[in-house]
Structures are given as C-alpha cells and as structure tokens.
C-alpha cells in the first residue's frame, strides 16, 4: 500500500484545515480506524486510550475528534473548559448502543456491591454508572487492580470480557452480551483460511473480535501457532508490527489500521483477516467535514455536568492504569 501526499483539490483542502487550526488553536485527534487522508491530517493518531490521554493533556482551545461519538464525549468530559467538535453527528457505535444506563442500573441491582468496569465504548450516561472505564489495551490491568473477592460486572463487549476473564482467571466476573458488529464478524474460520494461505505470518487479533477467545484457546491447543498469535489493542498492533522480526502479518481488526501499519513498515506485508471488516461509522468523517467543523464550529459535543462529574472519575481511573 503506497502512501501518497495529497495533491490538487485535496491539497488545498488540507492547507485550509491547517490554517483554521492555527487560527483557532485547535488540535486534531484521530483514531487508527479513520480514513487514510484523515490519519495523515491528525496531530495525534492512536487507539482509544492514547486519544483519551492526549485529550486530557492538550493545551489547545479546540479539539476536533475524528472518531466516534463516545470518544468525543470522553474528550469533552476530560476538558470541560474546551470546545470539542465531532465532524459528523452520525458517527456512532453499535457496541456503545448495546447497553443503556437504565439497563446497567437494573444489572447493578441484581448484583449489589459489584464493581462495574465499563469499556470506553459506552455512552457518558453508562460511564456515570460505572466505577472504572477501560480500553482493550488496559482492560486486564484494570480488572487485576480490583480486589479478587469483589464481584465484577464487565460491559458491554462479550468478546473482550471473555478474553479478560480467561487471562485473569476471575470467576466472579459477569459479562454483558454486547458486541461490535464489525469485530464480531471476524470469525475463526476466516482466520484459519488466511493462515493457510500465509503459513509464516504472525496473527494479530483485537480482543473485541469474534475470533479472539477461540484464538487464545486454539493457540494453547496448538491449532494456531502460539508463538505467532498475539492478542493486542490497535495501539499494541502498531507497536508490535514495528518491533517484530516477522515480515508478514494477518490482522484481525477493522481494516483502517492497515494503512498506518504499511506506512510505518514499508518492507512488511499486512493482510486483513476479513477484508470486509470496515466500520461505516469511522468512515463517515472526511476532510470536508473536518474543514466544516473548524470553519463553522460544528458539531459541539457537551455532556451535562451532573453526568460528567460522575463519569469523570471512572475515566480518570482508566487513564491512570496500564
């Protein structure tokens, strides 16, 4: 995958965005699943945890969040004095939509005293009902930080929850049955097929994937190559791809990350476990929408303070751990 600099109208659009950024003292944060041209534009590119940390530390007056709605909400709660813009209000998340605050309150009532660990892919209202947030890169550390005698409610991703439970051995951990429709669509059978086609490749699996738990099991059983099967966050995948001596990788996550992997490692080969694993929400943000967000101050993401004040503690715990 060759990396090309923007030219023609795209170059003019990029120049306008940079000018607006300077005028408004803005920073652009972008997730690893964004379109290549948006990744190229970002001041900070990363996974959910890296972007949350960047949002907490920035001295910019305006944060343009090229991601999905819950990410912009998180940035807004960490920076109540700053303006947080989401270039497209329709950039949602099927996983975040899989649990509501009312559902969580009902679940908590069934398990009084349990510690609630919410994946960052949740709404502000759900975070406000939680004790800890986590991302795929620090979920294991968050769970391990909780005393072993405390019951845990882990939500909303069942694949990440099952993976964390297997690694930590926590028997008193209950898991919400939610999923990301894109990651859930990456199945073990697809992984096996691609591995047969690329027998020397390393397998990099995001823990949200429908194949994550089975990959850990199959690697332990010798069906998958244990020394070449890695369960990693998107940020972890990028780091591993650069440090590994392997020359070929099968990547089981949303395909947007392949652009950055190839850019950073031009001599290596990256193959999608499922080429159709494309998040339509992440792809809604375009250069035109980033320009319009800066030019017209749209769309401003805010969270009511009564919700934000309760959610902020869980988010800050997430940022501090792992």
């Amino acid at each position: 995958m060759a990396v090309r600099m923007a030219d023609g109208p795209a170059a003019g659009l990029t120049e306008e965005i940079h000018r607006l950024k300077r005028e408004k003292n803005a920073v652009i944060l972008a997730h690893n699943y964004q379109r290549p041209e948006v990744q190229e534009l970002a001041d900070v590119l990363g996974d959910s945890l890296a972007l949350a940390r960047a949002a907490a530390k920035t001295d910019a007056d305006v944060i343009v969040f090229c991601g999905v709605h819950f990410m912009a909400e998180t940035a807004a709660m960490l920076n109540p004095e700053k303006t947080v813009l989401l270039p497209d209000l329709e950039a949602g998340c099927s996983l975040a939509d899989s649990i509501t605050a009312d559902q969580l309150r009902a679940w908590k009532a069934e398990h009084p005293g349990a510690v609630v660990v919410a994946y960052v892919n949740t709404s502000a209202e759900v975070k406000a009902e939680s004790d800890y947030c986590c991302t795929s890169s620090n979920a294991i550390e968050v769970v391990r930080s909780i005393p072993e005698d405390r019951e845990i409610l882990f939500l909303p991703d069942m694949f990440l929850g099952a993976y964390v439970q297997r690694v930590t051995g926590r028997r008193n951990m209950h898991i919400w049955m939610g999923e990301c429709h894109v990651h859930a669509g990456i199945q073990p059978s697809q992984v096996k097929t691609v591995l047969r086609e690329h027998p020397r490749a390393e397998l990099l699996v995001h823990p949200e994937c429908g194949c994550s738990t089975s990959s850990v099991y199959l690697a332990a059983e010798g069906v998958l190559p244990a020394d070449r099967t890695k369960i990693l966050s998107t940020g972890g995948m990028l780091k591993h791809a650069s440090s590994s001596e392997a020359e070929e990788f099968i990547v089981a996550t949303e395909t947007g990350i392949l652009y950055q992997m190839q850019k950073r490692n031009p001599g290596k080969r990256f193959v999608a476990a499922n080429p159709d694993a494309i998040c339509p929400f992440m792809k809604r943000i375009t250069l035109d929408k980033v320009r319009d967000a800066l030019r017209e101050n749209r769309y401003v993401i805010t969270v009511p303070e009564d919700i934000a004040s309760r959610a902020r503690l869980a988010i800050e715990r997430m940022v501090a751990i792992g």
Side-chain angles (χ1 to χ4, degrees), residues 70 93-101 103-104 107 116-123 126-127 130 132-136 139 152-164 173-181 184 207-208:
F70 76 81
C93 175
S94 60
L95 179 56
D97 290 343
S98 69
I99 187 168
T100 65
Q103 288 174 316
L104 176 52
W107 199 27
V116 178
V117 178
Y119 193 27
V120 72
N121 299 45
T122 47
S123 68
V126 168
K127 290 181 176 72
S130 304
Y132 292 85
C133 281
C134 72
T135 69
S136 56
I152 295 175
L153 303 183
F154 189 97
L155 61 100
D157 190 82
M158 60 182 177
F159 299 115
L160 177 61
Y163 170 67
V164 171
M173 182 171 154
H174 306 279
I175 302 168
W176 188 260
M177 293 291 104
E179 64 178 31
C180 160
H181 73 283
E208 273 185 49

Side-chain angles (χ1 to χ4, degrees), residues 31 46-53 65 70-71 119-121 135 234 318:
H31 194 273
D47 59 14
S48 298
L49 182 58
L51 295 179
R53 286 176 171 155
F65 215 114
F70 76 81
M71 297 178 181
Y119 193 27
V120 72
N121 299 45
T135 69
T234 55
M318 172 192 74

Side-chain angles (χ1 to χ4, degrees), residues 142-157:
V142 168
V143 168
R144 282 177 171 162
S145 74
I146 299 168
E148 292 187 4
D149 62 344
R150 295 294 302 276
E151 195 174 17
I152 295 175
L153 303 183
F154 189 97
L155 61 100
D157 190 82

Side-chain angles (χ1 to χ4, degrees), residues 45-294:
L45 180 71
D47 59 14
S48 298
L49 182 58
L51 295 179
R53 286 176 171 155
K57 294 177 181 177
T58 185
D59 58 1
D61 296 317
V62 177
I63 298 171
V64 182
F65 215 114
C66 299
V68 293
H69 193 272
F70 76 81
M71 297 178 181
E73 277 189 334
T74 300
M77 289 187 284
L78 291 172
N79 298 274
E81 75 287 357
K82 300 182 186 300
T83 299
V84 177
L85 304 176
L86 180 66
D88 190 319
L89 282 179
E90 297 302 313
C93 175
S94 60
L95 179 56
D97 290 343
S98 69
I99 187 168
T100 65
D102 284 342
Q103 288 174 316
L104 176 52
R105 282 189 285 267
W107 199 27
K108 287 166 64 175
E110 297 172 2
H111 301 274
V115 177
V116 178
V117 178
Y119 193 27
V120 72
N121 299 45
T122 47
S123 68
E125 290 86 353
V126 168
K127 290 181 176 72
E129 294 292 333
S130 304
D131 299 296
Y132 292 85
C133 281
C134 72
T135 69
S136 56
S137 60
N138 74 350
I140 291 170
E141 287 78 9
V142 168
V143 168
R144 282 177 171 162
S145 74
I146 299 168
E148 292 187 4
D149 62 344
R150 295 294 302 276
E151 195 174 17
I152 295 175
L153 303 183
F154 189 97
L155 61 100
D157 190 82
M158 60 182 177
F159 299 115
L160 177 61
Y163 170 67
V164 171
Q165 186 174 42
R166 183 179 181 88
V167 172
T168 62
R170 293 295 289 258
R171 297 183 180 277
N172 56 351
M173 182 171 154
H174 306 279
I175 302 168
W176 188 260
M177 293 291 104
E179 64 178 31
C180 160
H181 73 283
V182 176
H183 281 108
I186 303 175
Q187 296 299 316
S189 59
Q190 295 170 322
V191 171
K192 289 181 182 179
T193 297
V194 181
L195 266 173
R196 282 196 298 270
E197 296 169 353
H198 304 273
R200 299 183 63 82
E202 284 197 342
L203 173 61
L204 310 183
V205 181
H206 193 283
E208 273 185 49
C209 289
C211 63
S212 60
T213 302
S214 63
S215 293
V216 173
Y217 174 77
L218 293 173
E221 294 296 309
V223 178
L224 294 180
D227 61 331
R228 290 186 283 119
T229 300
K230 316 291 181 182
I231 310 296
L232 299 164
S233 67
T234 55
M237 287 182 179
L238 284 166
K239 290 178 183 177
H240 181 79
S242 296
S243 62
S244 173
E245 295 182 359
E247 297 181 354
E248 193 171 35
F249 301 84
I250 297 166
V251 184
T253 190
E254 208 274 352
T255 59
I257 198 173
L258 296 177
Y259 173 75
Q260 202 61 217
M261 286 180 149
Q262 196 67 74
K263 178 184 176 182
R264 296 185 188 185
N265 306 279
K268 299 180 179 181
R269 184 180 184 189
F270 300 90
V271 181
N274 179 353
D276 296 324
I278 300 171
C279 176
F281 299 115
M282 284 286 185
K283 301 302 188 280
R284 290 193 65 87
I285 295 178
T286 63
L287 293 184
D288 296 81
K289 291 177 182 179
V290 174
R291 185 268 318 275
D292 292 346
L294 281 164

